[in-house]
Amino acid sequence: MEDKKANIIATISILALLIVIIAARVSLKLSRTFFLIAGVDISLILAVICFLIIRYRYNRERKLLESRYVSEGRELRIEYSFLRKVAGVPTKFKLEDLEEATDGFRCLIGKGGSGSVFKGVLKDGSQVAVKRIEGEEIKGEREFRSEVAAIASVQHKNLVRLFGFSSVNRQRFLVYEFIANSSLDIWIFPAKGNRRCGGGCLSWDQRYQVAIDVAKALAYLHHDCRSKILHLDVKPENILLDENYRAVVTDFGLSKLIARDESRVLTDIRGTRGYLAPEWLLEHGISEKSDVYSYGIVLLEMIGGRRSISRVEVEETKTNTLCNKKKKKKKKKLEYFPRIVNQKMRERKVMEIVDERMIEAKEVDDEGQVMKLVCVALWCIQEKAKNRPDMAMVIEMLEGRVPVNEPPDSEVVVVDLLAADDDDDAATGVRRVVDIPRLHIQRERNFRLPSICSSIISPISPR
Ligand SMILES: Nc1ncnc2c1ncn2[C@@H]1O[C@H](COP(=O)(O)OP(=O)(O)OP(=O)(O)O)[C@@H](O)[C@H]1O
């Protein structure tokens, strides 16, 4: 359009100059003034023609370039969306897209230590869970990066898919596939005492299948990726259940990538209380076996339908020595479920530790299978990392290809990071512990640890 206007103006100005020359020729005859006007006019005409030629060439090249960029961009976009579909490469979303998808972050589906999760629908109709990273700037950024880095490179049916991310003006979002049945905690722990409810009671077979699914996801992260990926926050809240109650492991915010040939890595204490392996405090460095430990705790919680650490009310009878009167007093006590499981297993009474709801529904009839799961769990929480099986071995045991021996009695040590915490909420064991420097254990997010010694209890091995 602008080109056309310029051409019309140039043509009009050339015509005007020609009219001026002709008018000058008629009125001035062939005087010197005529030649002066004619000379100026002709040079102006030549200048306009040159300008038009240059402009024409410039426009032609620009159009060529533009069309090349457009087609290259289109090709790139096609390639990118193809890659996303085939290889799961995460897309960078615009904030407006996410606002539109979540209807202005209206439908909150969960809230964790690192942010809030909202339900949304993308333009192509796929349902998503959008996690808005909140909290401290540096920590949030680090969790965001480690999550994108870890999950971008993985593809497994039991690991959540990251569709994309967004990072605008210090606001960070992660966009996951939406998993229909929320997280495992609401399906294994009774609603009472559990802040979130709305699930139900998972059957024994479903729990056993979840155990295998999670083992497969972790085995893939530990053994089949280019670098080893340590999840470091395995817990029921990070295991989602799809529409068929199959498990999908999520939340890579605390994960760590380590080289294949590295057996251990030194890092700040991170994870969730109640699921932390002893080596976080006792040994030099952690490994994939730290995930195995947390997995073992989750197995026990699935079997028992209760948290590994819980606060129970006990009645204490005190005798007044002066008047010999007995007085009853209620007291809250921390109960460590793995210790109870170990004891019941030795007494061959494993059915006593199974979630009562499943027993009432007469869902568990195979005591041998319960015993197998209990033994695998106790192997996974062995004090020494080297005594724990790796996740590949756990799959073999659960799927019955390798016999499961009884775990040794004396080597189960429990690091109970809650022992020194008298906060009621702590008994749920779901608070996250992040970034406690190894040598300066101190108060952090209500996490109290007066000394390393007081935080370690060994309920099974001799104290
Ligand atoms: N992809 C998803 N699909 C459906 N629901 C999800 C999805 N991701 C998370 N949620 C829900 O949001 C909740 C919070 O998730 P999030 O990962 O932020 O926190 P968390 O694991 O509970 O805590 P933390 O971040 O402290 O480990 C989950 O427990 C789950 O119910």
Side-chain angles (χ1 to χ4, degrees):
M1 196 66 183
E2 271 181 17
D3 276 359
K4 255 188 181 173
K5 261 189 200 167
N7 286 344
I8 292 167
I9 293 168
T11 320
I12 291 171
S13 44
I14 292 171
L15 282 174
L17 288 170
L18 285 172
I19 290 167
V20 171
I21 295 173
I22 294 163
R25 170 78 178 85
V26 173
S27 56
L28 301 171
K29 304 266 167 54
L30 290 174
S31 71
R32 273 178 76 193
T33 323
F34 163 74
F35 283 115
L36 205 69
I37 291 172
V40 170
D41 277 3
I42 288 165
S43 15
L44 277 174
I45 289 169
L46 286 177
V48 170
I49 290 169
C50 285
F51 168 75
L52 284 177
I53 292 170
I54 291 167
R55 194 188 156 84
Y56 170 74
R57 287 199 164 176
Y58 169 80
N59 282 347
R60 204 181 53 177
E61 270 172 30
R62 202 186 62 184
K63 273 183 188 151
L64 270 175
L65 267 177
E66 265 174 10
S67 68
R68 213 171 69 202
Y69 284 146
V70 168
S71 71
E72 271 177 11
R74 199 182 313 118
E75 268 169 34
L76 264 177
R77 271 200 301 279
I78 292 168
E79 204 169 310
Y80 199 70
S81 85
F82 173 72
L83 271 176
R84 186 163 77 80
K85 286 202 178 82
V86 175
V89 176
T91 310
K92 190 164 189 212
F93 285 98
K94 284 189 196 141
L95 185 55
E96 303 90 81
D97 294 340
L98 298 185
E99 271 168 352
E100 197 186 319
T102 56
D103 196 11
F105 301 102
R106 215 175 270 260
C107 180
L108 181 76
I109 49 175
K111 202 166 167 49
S114 51
S116 309
V117 183
F118 301 87
K119 190 178 175 184
V121 182
L122 292 183
K123 279 189 189 122
D124 65 2
S126 34
Q127 293 195 316
V128 286
V130 180
K131 184 172 184 174
R132 187 171 63 198
I133 309 274
E134 289 152 5
E136 277 173 49
E137 185 59 29
I138 300 168
K139 210 180 289 174
E141 179 65 27
R142 205 175 48 202
E143 287 194 14
F144 175 77
R145 279 167 190 266
S146 73
E147 183 127 20
V148 175
I151 207 167
S153 60
V154 300
Q155 277 285 309
H156 192 279
K157 65 179 176 11
N158 300 118
L159 290 173
V160 76
R161 273 184 67 193
L162 182 73
F163 282 164
F165 58 93
S166 170
S167 183
V168 191
N169 299 337
R170 294 183 183 170
Q171 291 197 76
R172 292 173 301 269
F173 299 89
L174 292 163
V175 184
Y176 301 100
E177 65 174 314
F178 177 75
I179 309 291
N181 273 320
S182 194
S183 46
L184 179 64
D185 54 323
I186 65 166
W187 293 97
I188 56 170
F189 303 130
K192 194 178 155 227
N194 182 29
R195 268 178 241 123
R196 294 192 309 135
C197 54
C201 179
L202 224 55
S203 72
W204 173 260
D205 289 344
Q206 285 168 328
R207 292 183 202 209
Y208 200 87
Q209 187 57 58
V210 166
I212 295 177
D213 288 342
V214 177
K216 286 187 174 166
L218 293 177
Y220 169 79
L221 293 177
H222 295 170
H223 309 299
D224 300 331
C225 297
R226 226 173 276 270
S227 336
K228 268 192 234 177
I229 301 175
L230 313 188
H231 186 283
L232 303 183
D233 202 15
V234 178
K235 60 179 178 181
E237 286 72 13
N238 288 340
I239 298 167
L240 303 171
L241 299 181
D242 71 9
E243 57 284 5
N244 300 313
Y245 300 94
R246 300 296 297 264
V248 179
V249 175
T250 184
D251 201 346
F252 286 70
L254 300 186
S255 64
K256 194 144 185 70
L257 299 179
I258 62 171
R260 290 246 122 254
D261 52 0
E262 252 181 308
S263 59
R264 279 168 182 219
V265 58
L266 267 179
T267 177
D268 294 343
I269 297 179
R270 51 174 92 177
T272 300
R273 292 184 301 190
Y275 302 88
L276 290 171
E279 57 269 24
W280 280 110
L281 294 175
L282 300 178
E283 286 177 26
H284 293 291
I286 49 126
S287 67
E288 64 270 30
K289 295 291 182 76
S290 313
D291 279 345
V292 176
Y293 181 92
S294 314
Y295 171 80
I297 295 287
V298 173
L299 281 192
L300 292 181
E301 295 187 330
M302 280 205 287
I303 298 166
R306 55 180 285 186
R307 296 272 181 197
S308 66
I309 298 161
S310 50
R311 200 176 285 274
V312 290
E313 220 168 56
V314 285
E315 225 171 50
E316 252 185 13
T317 318
K318 275 194 177 168
T319 317
N320 191 331
T321 42
L322 290 175
C323 55
N324 211 14
K325 261 190 178 175
K326 283 185 178 172
K327 206 178 164 188
K328 282 186 178 171
K329 206 180 151 194
K330 282 190 176 165
K331 215 181 143 192
K332 280 193 168 177
K333 197 182 105 189
L334 279 177
E335 204 168 65
Y336 197 70
F337 187 52
R339 184 211 301 236
I340 300 170
V341 175
N342 185 67
Q343 194 185 321
K344 294 288 178 192
M345 193 204 64
R346 308 289 158 203
E347 294 166 6
R348 296 287 178 271
K349 291 179 183 164
V350 278
M351 295 310 274
E352 288 182 18
I353 53 117
V354 174
D355 189 339
E356 276 170 17
R357 295 170 299 165
M358 287 192 289
I359 300 282
E360 277 164 19
K362 297 196 172 45
E363 270 173 1
V364 204
D365 45 14
D366 187 351
E367 193 174 332
Q369 205 182 35
V370 176
M371 188 66 172
K372 190 203 281 183
L373 208 55
V374 166
C375 287
V376 171
L378 292 179
W379 271 114
C380 290
I381 61 166
Q382 290 290 301
E383 179 209 351
K384 293 228 159 40
K386 68 173 172 20
N387 291 344
R388 297 174 209 148
D390 61 26
M391 288 315 300
M393 177 56 82
V394 169
I395 299 170
E396 296 294 292
M397 293 196 279
L398 292 181
E399 293 190 329
R401 286 186 290 277
V402 167
V404 189
N405 300 328
E406 210 170 282
D409 192 8
S410 59
E411 287 181 44
V412 184
V413 169
V414 179
V415 174
D416 175 6
L417 295 168
L418 293 171
D421 201 325
D422 51 8
D423 179 355
D424 244 38
D425 287 347
T428 62
V430 290
R431 277 223 204 106
R432 237 180 182 191
V433 175
V434 262
D435 288 338
I436 299 179
R438 292 192 71 80
L439 299 174
H440 304 283
I441 293 166
Q442 56 194 337
R443 276 166 186 261
E444 177 112 348
R445 280 200 198 175
N446 296 328
F447 172 71
R448 228 181 302 155
L449 204 64
S451 75
I452 289 180
C453 295
S454 69
S455 72
I456 300 168
I457 55 169
S458 170
I460 295 161
S461 58
R463 263 177 280 183

